[in-house]
Amino acid sequence: MLKLKLWFVFCWKLNFLGLINTCQTLVLGQMTDLIYAEKDLVQSLKEYIRAEESKLSQIKSWAEKMDVLTSKSTSDPEGYLAHPVNAYKLVKRLNTDWLELENLVLQDTTNGFIANLTIQRQFFPTEEDETGAAKALMRLQDTYKLDPETLSRGNLPGTKYRSSLTVGDCFGMGKTAYNDGDYYHTVLWMEQALKQHDEGEDTTVSKVEILDYLSYAVFQFGDLHRAMELTRRLISLDSAHERAGSNLRYFEKLLEKEREEEEKEKSVNKTNTTTEPVVQSGAYERPLDYLPERDIYEALCRGEGVKMTPRRQKRLFCRYHDGNRNPHLLIAPFKEEDEWDSPHIVRYYDVMSDEEIEKIKQLAKPRLARATVRDPKTGVLTVASYRVSKSSWLEEDDDPVVAKVNQRMQQITGLTVKTAELLQVGALKDEPDAFKRLGTGNRVATFLNYMSDVEAGGATVFPDFGAAIWPKKGTAVFWYNLFRSGEGDYRTRHAACPVLVGCKWVSNKWFHERGNEFLRPCGRTEVD
């Protein structure tokens, strides 16, 4: 019982790093609907513009006609009214025609557009979604060591459509970080906003607003000199800015206090005649993370620190795999490639066809639910604002394709799917409590299907032994989470890297111990 509890703890930690780093762009599967919704709104807006233009055209035509008529009538009012028809038409115009014009001017052509906008708004992203998207972009920035200039200009590898961030966008990123108490990213993005503003980019965001956030964020890093410099610049643009004036006086007092302390130190230690120069470069270190493996994880995501030596490479082979002479695979075996020697990780090719992938995606999209993360401090599953990936679970009864894919995974691995978990599509998520509910033991193995290619990023990494496995559409990777003894192989803790460019779709099957006792017999030692 103690062993089982310990293994729950291990499984809890097993995917935690992956949970907080799963590719956020899986949500693109649903965001395509927003693309079409926005297109529909643009069409509706164009119809509104056409209606407004038609109305204005009628009003303009009426105005031009009346301008000619009134010019004539006012030049000789009595002569004009001498004609009885003119007198009649003047009365008619003022009593009837001008009323019709008034009705035309008051005609509301916004109804169609506003009605459509109201309907579509219920599907719009929320403020929480926007915050999550901004934080996801910052995670990409940190993981792949991208400076704000690179992201702002859209200089990313493998991009089909070029996109850039405006001053307002950069300012919004900085505000999101500021509101979260993340002064490191606040400085980076406010500096980028200020740079683009100084370059003359047209924007509704003022320099005063940018400098207000930037000066305070810089102060939080203890850089008093630069905080004062930025605050003085703010005051030069807006001398009536109350907070800036108050901040400047406060900074000056702090600086004076620092100087007094330095003088006291000098008087105590007269041999110390030099002081360190104040760094005013504006480059600040990212705060230390409470996850010790963060640096290793991010390096592997960038393809750095992979411990694949020439000696280890020689132990990796390719072969045809028939599932230990499984009758279904004898005529058409799968191509198997070693990805890593110990722990043994293999990749299978042509596991899923394009048609099967599209069908599974089609089944999963309506069921996608916001993926959760395990809070490392409380252990509670919660929705993280930075994580916008989604996942769903598919049963064999949902469609024959699901049953077919499940059967194929059983044939390849030689393990039974009867006690395995449902096919999960989307993002990886760990729910250790499921072991108790299922009563089928721990997760003995993982079968991970890659259902899309990814232009940049999106690797599956193993921080403990320095491996990185990259997505290839139609392939699958497989490894055992337990030794044959039933002990946990802690080396298989893994994490999903965020997708830098592209859209990552995965599906996975977790096989459990129960039902596989004779299909994968126990070993003689704990590490067999």
Side-chain angles (χ1 to χ4, degrees):
M1 188 66 179
L2 176 61
K3 173 183 170 184
L4 190 61
K5 286 182 178 177
L6 287 173
W7 179 238
F8 287 152
V9 173
F10 167 65
C11 283
W12 196 330
K13 294 181 178 178
L14 177 68
N15 280 327
F16 170 66
L17 192 58
L19 288 177
I20 63 167
N21 292 297
T22 301
C23 163
Q24 75 278 6
T25 51
L26 281 169
V27 76
L28 290 177
Q30 282 194 323
M31 286 179 69
T32 50
D33 294 338
L34 296 179
I35 292 288
Y36 293 112
E38 190 171 44
K39 175 67 175 176
D40 183 55
L41 283 176
V42 170
Q43 292 302 322
S44 180
L45 182 61
K46 284 183 176 179
E47 290 174 8
Y48 161 66
I49 291 171
R50 281 194 290 269
E52 281 290 320
E53 287 177 339
S54 174
K55 185 174 83 170
L56 286 173
S57 178
Q58 294 179 58
I59 295 171
K60 184 180 179 181
S61 176
W62 169 264
E64 289 173 348
K65 183 175 72 173
M66 293 308 299
D67 185 44
V68 172
L69 193 148
T70 54
S71 295
K72 186 188 296 183
S73 63
T74 54
S75 63
D76 183 12
E78 292 185 4
Y80 179 81
L81 292 173
H83 198 298
V85 172
N86 287 340
Y88 163 74
K89 291 185 70 174
L90 174 62
V91 173
K92 178 180 177 296
R93 278 198 306 275
L94 293 172
N95 183 59
T96 304
D97 296 353
W98 278 98
L99 182 61
E100 291 177 359
L101 180 68
E102 180 184 3
N103 292 333
L104 176 62
V105 171
L106 293 174
Q107 191 180 84
D108 190 359
T109 59
T110 64
N111 289 339
F113 172 68
I114 294 300
N116 191 18
L117 183 61
T118 302
I119 292 171
Q120 298 285 9
R121 187 178 284 117
Q122 61 184 314
F123 305 111
F124 281 9
T126 62
E127 188 172 337
E128 181 188 356
D129 293 321
E130 184 180 346
T131 298
K135 290 185 179 180
L137 203 55
M138 292 175 207
R139 285 180 53 235
L140 288 177
Q141 177 183 358
D142 293 341
T143 302
Y144 298 107
K145 287 190 173 180
L146 302 172
D147 57 77
E149 177 79 13
T150 299
L151 278 175
S152 181
R153 304 306 180 194
N155 298 324
L156 301 177
T159 48
K160 185 178 179 182
Y161 302 101
R162 187 72 176 271
S163 185
S164 59
L165 297 174
T166 64
V167 171
D169 295 331
C170 295
F171 180 72
M173 292 282 291
K175 277 185 68 176
T176 297
Y178 180 88
N179 292 335
D180 200 45
D182 178 4
Y183 300 113
Y184 171 74
H185 287 103
T186 302
V187 170
L188 290 178
W189 285 104
M190 288 302 176
E191 283 182 337
Q192 183 62 30
L194 186 61
K195 179 184 176 184
Q196 291 179 208
H197 205 304
D198 288 340
E199 290 172 353
E201 184 178 312
D202 188 30
T203 179
T204 57
V205 179
S206 69
K207 285 186 183 180
V208 169
E209 291 176 283
I210 299 171
L211 289 166
D212 193 16
Y213 282 95
L214 181 56
S215 59
Y216 185 76
V218 166
F219 166 69
Q220 291 298 316
F221 278 95
D223 193 346
L224 269 175
H225 289 80
R226 188 154 181 264
M228 287 178 64
E229 175 192 329
L230 292 167
T231 306
R232 287 193 180 107
R233 185 178 174 186
L234 190 162
I235 293 172
S236 70
L237 296 171
D238 182 3
S239 58
H241 200 290
E242 274 188 45
R243 185 168 56 252
S246 176
N247 286 347
L248 184 59
R249 289 188 293 274
Y250 179 63
F251 296 158
E252 287 171 344
K253 285 181 181 179
L254 288 178
L255 194 60
E256 184 61 32
K257 188 177 179 181
E258 279 188 8
R259 286 172 182 161
E260 289 176 0
E261 289 176 357
E262 285 176 7
E263 289 298 324
K264 285 181 182 179
E265 287 180 9
K266 282 183 183 180
S267 63
V268 172
N269 185 9
K270 293 181 180 180
T271 57
N272 182 16
T273 56
T274 59
T275 57
E276 289 186 14
V278 177
V279 178
Q280 297 191 39
S281 63
Y284 307 105
E285 292 293 326
R286 185 174 67 163
L288 293 175
D289 201 292
Y290 56 82
L291 288 174
E293 294 171 301
R294 175 77 66 182
D295 291 339
I296 299 172
Y297 159 77
E298 291 181 349
L300 289 171
C301 287
R302 296 190 297 269
E304 303 167 6
V306 177
K307 299 175 182 177
M308 178 54 70
T309 62
R311 183 178 179 181
R312 172 168 272 152
Q313 185 77 45
K314 290 179 181 178
R315 296 199 289 265
L316 305 182
F317 299 95
C318 297
R319 64 189 72 83
Y320 281 104
H321 176 76
D322 61 10
N324 294 323
R325 299 191 64 76
N326 186 299
H328 296 90
L329 304 184
L330 285 175
I331 298 176
F334 283 94
K335 289 179 281 186
E336 182 185 79
E337 177 184 28
D338 291 331
E339 285 281 354
W340 207 262
D341 56 342
S342 180
H344 194 207
I345 302 174
V346 296
R347 186 191 294 266
Y348 296 103
Y349 286 81
D350 303 319
V351 174
M352 296 175 69
S353 67
D354 288 347
E355 291 75 19
E356 289 172 333
I357 288 172
E358 289 307 313
K359 184 62 180 178
I360 286 178
K361 285 166 66 175
Q362 180 185 339
L363 292 168
K365 281 181 181 180
R367 311 178 188 195
L368 289 176
R370 187 73 176 270
T372 56
V373 302
R374 182 77 59 186
D375 189 305
K377 296 178 180 177
T378 64
V380 178
L381 279 173
T382 57
V383 173
S385 59
Y386 57 78
R387 186 175 179 211
V388 290
S389 56
K390 298 192 176 184
S391 60
S392 66
W393 301 82
L394 299 181
E395 300 186 44
E396 291 194 355
D397 294 340
D398 292 331
D399 193 274
V401 168
V402 179
K404 189 176 179 181
V405 169
N406 281 344
Q407 189 65 27
R408 190 176 301 142
M409 289 188 283
Q410 177 172 287
Q411 293 165 1
I412 291 174
T413 63
L415 302 173
T416 180
V417 295
K418 290 181 180 178
T419 56
E421 295 177 45
L422 300 178
L423 184 68
Q424 186 185 27
V425 183
L428 296 177
K429 182 174 68 169
D430 187 36
E431 291 191 45
D433 291 341
F435 298 131
K436 294 179 181 178
R437 289 197 300 271
L438 292 171
T440 54
N442 292 311
R443 290 170 175 167
V444 66
T446 300
F447 196 99
L448 179 63
N449 296 295
Y450 292 117
M451 304 199 301
S452 65
D453 290 313
V454 178
E455 286 79 358
T460 303
V461 298
F462 297 77
D464 280 70
F465 54 91
I469 298 173
W470 304 93
K472 293 180 185 176
K473 186 179 181 181
T475 70
V477 290
F478 174 77
W479 65 86
Y480 284 101
N481 300 315
L482 305 182
F483 290 110
R484 285 184 177 273
S485 63
E487 293 293 329
D489 189 348
Y490 289 78
R491 299 171 301 170
T492 60
R493 294 186 313 138
H494 58 283
C497 298
V499 171
L500 180 58
V501 178
C503 178
K504 181 182 175 184
W505 281 88
V506 297
S507 61
N508 65 285
K509 173 72 73 175
W510 279 304
F511 293 91
H512 281 237
E513 289 180 293
R514 302 294 178 265
N516 289 304
E517 295 90 340
F518 299 104
L519 298 175
R520 193 194 185 222
C522 289
R524 288 175 293 181
T525 67
E526 285 190 359
V527 292
D528 280 350

